[in-house]
Amino acid sequence: MKRPLPVIEIDPLAGFCSGVNRAIGNAGKHLSGGERLKCLGELVHNEEELDRLRSLGMDFISQEDISPDLRKVFIRAHGEPPVTYNKLKALKLEIVDATCPVVSRLQQKVGNSSREFKRMGEGQVVIFGKPGHPEVIGLMGNTSGNAVVVQQSGDFGKIAFGGPLHLFAQTTANQDDYRDFCEAIKQRTIEAGGDIALVTVTNSICGQVSRRAPSLLGFARSHDVIVFVSGRESSNGKYLAGLSRTVNANTYTVSSPGEIQDWFGNAGSIGISGATSTPRWLLEQVADKIMEITGNL
Ligand code: SF4
C-alpha cells in the first residue's frame, strides 16, 4: 500500500543569521574578480558551505599562514583581537573586515569595561563562553589583563569574588545557562561577603540566537519528524538539535542530504530546521531528498 504523502516544511527561522549572511555577501563581492581570497579561520561551521566558498575562490588559513605574500585577508563574522589587525597592518595587507556589527559592539563594551576597571585599580571582566572559541579570543583580546573566560562553575576559582565584576556572555551562549551562571556568581559574591550591587550583568546573547530556541520548540512540536541540518562542529547546531529532541523524539541530525535515511514511516508532516551556520540552499536540498524518499517527487 502506498503511504500518504507527508507535508514537508522548512523552518522559516532556519538559515544563516544576519551576521553570517552579511559576511558571505561581503566575500562574494571580493570573489567575483577571479582572485583567491584568504579568510582567517573557517567562515562558518558548515563543511558544505565551506566547500561552496572554496569552489568560488576562498581559502581558509590560520594565523601561522599570515605572510606578506597574501595581499588581502578576510576577517569573518566572529571578529579578531586587535593583535591580529596590528599584525596584518604591519605587513601592509589589505583587510576585508566582515566582523558582525553585534560582535564589534560587544568587543567595544568589553574593552570599555576592562579599561574602566584598570583605571579604578580593581574589578574583573568575566566572559561566559567557550575558551578558545574565535569570538571569545576576539573579546579577550580587547581587555587589559583583568578578564577571565568561564564556561562552568568548576572554573569559578578564576574569579575574584567580592570585588566589582562585569559579566558578559559569548553572543551564541544559551540564555538559560547564562541566567543560571549570573545567579551563581551573585550567590558566590554574597558568600564571599561582597556586595551584589558591584556585579554588573550585560545580556550580550545575540537576539537571533535566543529567539531561535522558543520558535524551534514550537516548530518541532508541530511536526511528526524533524530533520535537523548542521555541521558536526557547530555548537549552536548541537544545542538546537538537542532542544528539538526534548519535544520531538523523532529528531534526526544530518550534515548533508546523503545522510538521510527513510525515517518517515507514515509521518504526516516532516519539518526541516538547522543551525545559524546552516545555509538555506542546503535546507532546500534536504527537502528535495526527503521528497524523493517519500515519493513526493
Ligand atoms: S549569531 Fe548574532 S552575533 Fe553571531 S554572527 Fe550571527 S548575528 Fe552576529
Side-chain angles (χ1 to χ4, degrees):
M1 199 175 80
K2 263 182 99 179
R3 60 181 169 190
L5 292 182
V7 173
I8 300 169
E9 188 193 8
I10 297 179
D11 183 348
L13 284 196
F16 288 149
C17 62
S18 65
V20 171
N21 256 332
R22 181 176 170 274
I24 288 179
N26 197 339
K29 287 182 207 151
H30 291 266
L31 290 168
S32 53
E35 181 190 352
R36 293 202 76 80
L37 180 61
K38 310 293 180 192
C39 174
L40 200 45
E42 295 183 339
L43 205 153
V44 280
H45 294 306
N46 186 281
E47 267 312 316
E48 279 66 25
E49 179 64 12
L50 294 180
D51 284 345
R52 188 188 74 87
L53 290 166
R54 279 188 195 101
S55 74
L56 294 177
M58 188 167 241
D59 296 317
F60 302 101
I61 62 165
S62 64
Q63 289 280 347
E64 292 70 45
D65 298 319
I66 296 176
S67 79
D69 315 328
L70 295 184
R71 212 180 74 74
K72 197 189 269 184
V73 174
F74 184 89
I75 293 183
R76 58 190 171 170
H78 294 100
E80 282 289 329
V83 67
T84 302
Y85 290 88
N86 294 340
K87 187 171 167 185
L88 297 174
K89 282 179 194 156
L91 292 171
K92 300 198 171 17
L93 303 181
E94 185 185 334
I95 301 171
V96 182
D97 194 350
T99 305
C100 171
V102 177
V103 175
S104 297
R105 284 195 290 276
L106 180 56
Q107 287 179 342
Q108 275 170 21
K109 284 184 194 166
V110 165
N112 290 344
S113 180
S114 169
R115 275 188 294 280
E116 178 60 11
F117 283 155
K118 192 150 192 177
R119 191 191 59 75
M120 286 160 50
E122 62 168 348
Q124 198 178 34
V125 169
V126 180
I127 297 170
F128 177 66
K130 247 191 184 175
H133 186 282
E135 180 192 313
V136 172
I137 293 173
L139 296 176
M140 286 296 280
N142 279 278
T143 61
S144 331
N146 54 1
V148 287
V149 183
V150 177
Q151 190 171 23
Q152 53 207 358
S153 54
D155 300 335
F156 276 10
K158 298 176 184 173
I159 301 175
F161 288 105
L165 298 174
H166 193 155
L167 316 185
F168 294 93
Q170 183 180 327
T171 58
T172 48
N174 174 282
Q175 192 80 62
D176 293 337
D177 291 349
Y178 185 49
R179 195 178 304 117
D180 292 349
F181 172 81
C182 294
E183 281 313 308
I185 297 273
K186 286 179 185 167
Q187 189 55 39
R188 287 287 289 269
T189 296
I190 294 168
E191 286 164 17
D195 180 356
I196 57 166
L198 295 178
V199 179
T200 307
V201 175
T202 294
N203 186 358
S204 48
I205 295 172
C206 173
Q208 290 183 48
V209 173
S210 57
R211 277 194 294 276
R212 281 297 313 278
S215 91
L216 176 63
L217 286 172
F219 184 78
R221 276 194 197 100
S222 65
H223 292 85
D224 297 323
V225 177
I226 293 291
V227 177
F228 194 90
V229 191
S230 168
R232 299 195 192 294
E233 295 310 313
S234 165
S235 36
N236 169 259
K238 283 180 202 155
Y239 162 63
L240 290 177
L243 197 67
S244 170
R245 220 163 272 123
T246 62
V247 293
N248 188 332
N250 299 320
T251 297
Y252 300 92
T253 304
V254 297
S255 59
S256 67
E259 294 174 13
I260 300 170
Q261 298 171 32
D262 190 351
W263 296 302
F264 311 113
N266 286 324
S269 68
I270 301 166
I272 302 164
S273 192
T276 49
S277 52
T278 303
R280 196 82 194 166
W281 62 262
L282 189 57
L283 298 171
E284 283 159 8
Q285 282 188 1
V286 164
D288 289 346
K289 183 70 187 177
I290 295 173
M291 284 199 232
E292 196 186 304
I293 292 174
T294 55
N296 255 343
L297 268 185

